[in-house]
Amino acid sequence: MSLDRPTILMCPPDFYGIEYEINPWMSRSHQSDTARAGEQWRALHELLVALGADVPLMTPVKGLPDLVFTANAGLVHGATVYLSRFRYSARQGETPVDEAWFTAHGFRCVTLPEGDGMDFEGAGDALFVGDTLFAGYLIRSDAPAMQWIAEEIGCRVIPVQLVDERYYHLDTCFCPLSETEAILYPPAFDEYARKALRESIEHPIIVADEEAARFACNAVVLGEHVVVNTGCPVLERNLRERGYEPHATPLDEFIKAGGSAKCLTLRLDGEDAAAWRNATTK
Ligand code: ARG
């Protein structure tokens, strides 16, 4: 696979549905609509392709409804992927499928050591800002797992504790845009984490409760383009003011599982969010 342009892994929602309840958004009595989910997923896929991304697809597997959320497959760093170790057994069957895909596509797969404190849910909880890894922990991933990975990579890690069950993955409440900017929902973090984020992100875009619940922080960043669920007008305005171009696309069917744009994608070529600014100022 050539990674000379933004490359994003997705998985079609053929077997997507609400089959279990592992976060407060999920309710088996509030089922997703298969046809609508398919349409929304395809629209996201088309948008990313139109914005210049290469989008390889994983083959969906019956019985693994959350496999669509490829952000949780692992954390990609160069040609290495740190595979997830899911908290809940309902999702643990995804890892062998992810591993097979990565191996077939030339990645080196690393599995976390056995033992307590080693749960890890991939790019859902681990996001780079420059060379620093921001690591969400407590609800799904464990802090020791994050430390272990950061040591393997040889990077600085800032563990941030998540305290709101609705924002159970870091990518539901934090989205780096560049080395100094990020979309952020502070109430999802404990006080210490809020302070760490304040100190390291110079220019945050803070989202209010209502848009956080529309998954405003769960955006896909492609240079100056930011793809996000519909219903986040304030975020869109703030992005425009800073020179970004927001693209809203409806993803309600996936919010029923607690996911949106970012969760449905996994960047395979490194999330070099600030590159376009450097390119235009050079
Ligand atoms: N139903 C899935 C779960 O609870 C949703 C995962 C969303 N993924 C993400 N990166 N936030 O695990």
Side-chain angles (χ1 to χ4, degrees):
M1 190 171 10
S2 115
L3 298 176
D4 53 4
R5 56 186 175 128
T7 307
I8 294 175
L9 177 64
M10 289 182 74
C11 175
D14 302 20
F15 303 109
Y16 169 69
I18 316 300
E19 293 178 16
Y20 44 79
E21 299 169 3
I22 57 172
N23 68 52
W25 304 92
M26 300 177 89
S27 161
R28 269 167 294 192
S29 55
H30 188 42
Q31 257 320 316
S32 61
D33 179 302
T34 309
R36 267 173 57 98
E39 281 161 28
Q40 294 184 347
W41 185 91
R42 278 191 297 279
L44 174 65
H45 177 262
E46 274 165 30
L47 183 53
L48 296 175
V49 170
L51 292 173
D54 188 15
V55 187
L57 301 181
M58 195 179 261
T59 308
V61 176
K62 195 167 177 355
L64 297 176
D66 278 339
L67 195 64
V68 289
F69 298 114
T70 50
N72 299 122
L75 174 67
V76 177
H77 184 254
T80 299
V81 57
Y82 297 88
L83 292 169
S84 287
R85 174 161 294 154
F86 285 98
R87 186 78 105 203
Y88 293 106
S89 57
R91 294 198 67 183
Q92 287 165 359
E94 294 178 32
T95 302
V97 178
D98 296 331
E99 183 170 12
W101 191 90
F102 284 112
T103 304
H105 292 81
F107 287 85
R108 177 176 78 101
C109 293
V110 175
T111 301
L112 277 100
E114 296 286 332
D116 288 345
M118 286 292 159
D119 288 348
F120 171 64
E121 298 204 352
D125 268 332
L127 298 170
F128 280 103
V129 177
D131 295 331
T132 302
L133 188 63
F134 282 75
Y137 71 96
L138 198 69
I139 302 181
R140 292 298 185 83
S141 299
D142 296 319
M146 295 293 189
Q147 297 285 1
W148 189 88
I149 289 169
E151 239 163 77
E152 289 283 307
I153 294 177
C155 68
R156 186 163 84 110
V157 60
I158 300 187
V160 285
Q161 186 175 313
L162 302 175
V163 295
D164 183 334
E165 289 285 337
R166 287 173 309 159
Y167 303 103
Y168 56 95
H169 279 140
L170 182 61
D171 68 2
T172 64
C173 46
F174 177 62
C175 174
L177 294 164
S178 73
E179 296 215 12
T180 57
E181 299 165 303
I183 308 169
L184 181 66
Y185 180 60
F189 298 89
D190 79 346
E191 212 181 304
Y192 185 82
R194 282 203 293 267
K195 184 164 174 278
L197 288 162
R198 247 194 333 266
E199 279 165 10
S200 30
I201 309 293
E202 237 177 291
H203 305 294
I205 296 181
I206 307 288
V207 305
D209 297 355
E210 197 185 296
E211 294 195 6
R214 296 289 301 163
F215 278 65
C217 299
N218 201 249
V220 181
V221 182
L222 275 172
E224 72 266 49
H225 300 283
V226 181
V227 177
V228 70
N229 186 29
T230 51
C232 305
V234 178
L235 171 67
E236 286 188 42
R237 200 164 57 234
N238 285 328
L239 286 168
R240 268 193 212 97
E241 268 167 23
R242 291 176 190 224
Y244 289 92
E245 193 180 330
H247 302 265
T249 190
L251 291 162
D252 303 80
E253 291 304 322
F254 297 97
I255 289 185
K256 292 175 180 173
S260 185
K262 165 64 167 61
C263 305
L264 292 166
T265 65
L266 180 67
R267 192 77 185 251
L268 298 176
D269 62 314
E271 320 217 1
D272 202 359
W276 68 279
R277 283 206 192 280
N278 297 335
T280 49
T281 52
K282 244 175 232 164

